[in-house]
Amino acid sequence: MPATAAAAAANDAASWRERMPAAFGAMPGRRAMRIAGAALFAAWLAGALWWFGFSPARLWNGLAGLGTIISLMIPPSPGELWFDILRGLAESVAMAFLGTFVAALIAVPLGFLGARNVVTNTLFRFSLRRFFDGMRGVDQLIWALAYVRAVGLGPLAGVLAIATAEIAVLAKLYAEAIENAERKQVEGVVAAGGGRLARLRFGLLPQVLPVMLAQALYFFESNTRSAAILGVVGAGGIGLQIAERIRVRHWDEVAFIILLMVVTVAAIDWVSGRLRRRLIGGPAATA
């Protein structure tokens, strides 16, 4: 009797192994592919490290030099030109706000044009979405270099760079939010006799507007950090103050600017975070 039960169990296991072989472990071919993939990745990683000149000695020397710089940053000091630092910081925040505002304003109609539940022409929508992809492939720093050549040095180039770089990103996010909107509200507007514009104005926009505003606030916070980098290439803001002090090795003043930026970004993050939660979660939302 026990031998019969053992044979039945073995036959049952063989039957299940034949039906679902993946449940009993990877097949030999799949294991070989995994090993080959791991070996290929290890070879690629080793080749990349060799190509970039990585070595323990070089890494150690770099860390030692970084430690020297950090020691020179202590204690942080505003220096004699502290008013220029505050003005540059205010300029960066203004650049981020204006650039994000312009980008969000232009991205709203582009988002509607890129949504499949608004525009049914597949070729037009596909071309527009690929245009968004191409615009997102160009970094803000590249746009800043181009606008510095076009309009000259100053914060205007930074505002234009931020706006141009973020239009496509926000338009894509807005289009996805519009596509995920609830259909019943739109159908209700249509059933009440509303036309195409009424369907967009009263059916879709009230649903997606809080999400759009929340995303714009998040990008304002992110662009405040980005605006500091744009000043390095002459697009205005606090980045110019950082570049000048690094050039003359005033590391204590660089540390002061970095701490000032951290505090500013943290404050903007706190305020925008509360606004985002209130917009998405309703008036009862709390921090």
Side-chain angles (χ1 to χ4, degrees):
M1 196 64 183
T4 305
N11 292 334
D12 193 29
S15 175
W16 281 108
R17 185 184 295 274
E18 184 177 352
R19 292 179 187 178
M20 296 185 297
F24 292 85
M27 300 297 290
R30 185 176 294 274
R31 285 199 298 268
M33 289 181 61
R34 290 177 180 175
I35 294 173
L40 184 63
F41 175 76
W44 172 83
L45 182 61
L49 292 175
W50 173 81
W51 186 22
F52 295 149
F54 174 84
S55 66
R58 187 176 181 184
L59 181 62
W60 176 258
N61 292 334
L63 291 175
L66 181 62
T68 302
I69 292 174
I70 292 176
S71 66
L72 294 174
M73 288 182 172
I74 301 172
S77 170
E80 298 179 356
L81 303 177
W82 57 269
F83 181 76
D84 291 341
I85 295 175
L86 296 179
R87 184 177 62 184
L89 183 63
E91 202 172 77
S92 291
V93 174
M95 285 166 49
F97 177 80
L98 290 175
T100 306
F101 178 76
V102 172
L105 206 62
I106 298 175
V108 171
L110 291 178
F112 278 99
L113 292 175
R116 65 168 57 92
N117 55 342
V118 175
V119 176
T120 57
N121 189 317
T122 305
L123 179 61
F124 174 81
R125 191 178 65 252
F126 177 82
S127 302
L128 186 62
R129 296 292 283 265
R130 300 294 75 76
F131 173 73
F132 293 164
D133 294 340
M135 291 288 289
R136 291 201 311 273
V138 183
D139 189 72
Q140 286 182 0
L141 198 59
I142 306 301
W143 288 114
L145 289 169
Y147 281 120
V148 164
R149 294 287 184 179
V151 302
L153 300 172
L156 178 59
V159 172
L160 294 175
I162 292 173
T164 306
E166 302 299 353
I167 285 174
V169 182
L170 286 172
K172 181 179 183 296
L173 293 175
Y174 290 174
E176 292 176 350
I178 293 167
E179 290 175 349
N180 293 324
E182 180 63 41
R183 292 185 177 182
K184 292 182 179 180
Q185 186 169 332
V186 180
E187 293 171 353
V189 174
V190 175
R196 187 176 183 85
L197 289 179
R199 180 166 64 98
L200 300 179
R201 168 63 182 83
F202 299 103
L204 286 175
L205 189 59
Q207 297 187 64
V208 299
L209 186 58
V211 179
M212 289 179 172
L213 292 174
Q215 290 171 341
L217 286 171
Y218 173 77
F219 274 84
F220 167 53
E221 170 205 329
S222 176
N223 288 329
T224 303
R225 296 189 295 267
S226 301
I229 305 301
L230 300 183
V232 176
V233 297
I238 196 67
L240 181 60
Q241 305 293 332
I242 296 175
E244 289 178 349
R245 283 156 178 80
I246 290 177
R247 191 176 299 114
V248 296
R249 301 180 183 276
H250 289 176
W251 295 109
D252 54 340
E253 297 181 21
V254 173
F256 177 80
I257 295 173
I258 292 174
L259 291 176
L260 201 61
M261 288 172 53
V262 169
V263 172
T264 303
V265 172
I268 294 174
D269 175 59
W270 182 77
V271 174
S272 62
R274 289 181 62 89
L275 289 174
R276 285 198 303 270
R277 285 188 290 271
R278 192 171 185 85
L279 289 169
I280 295 177
T286 56

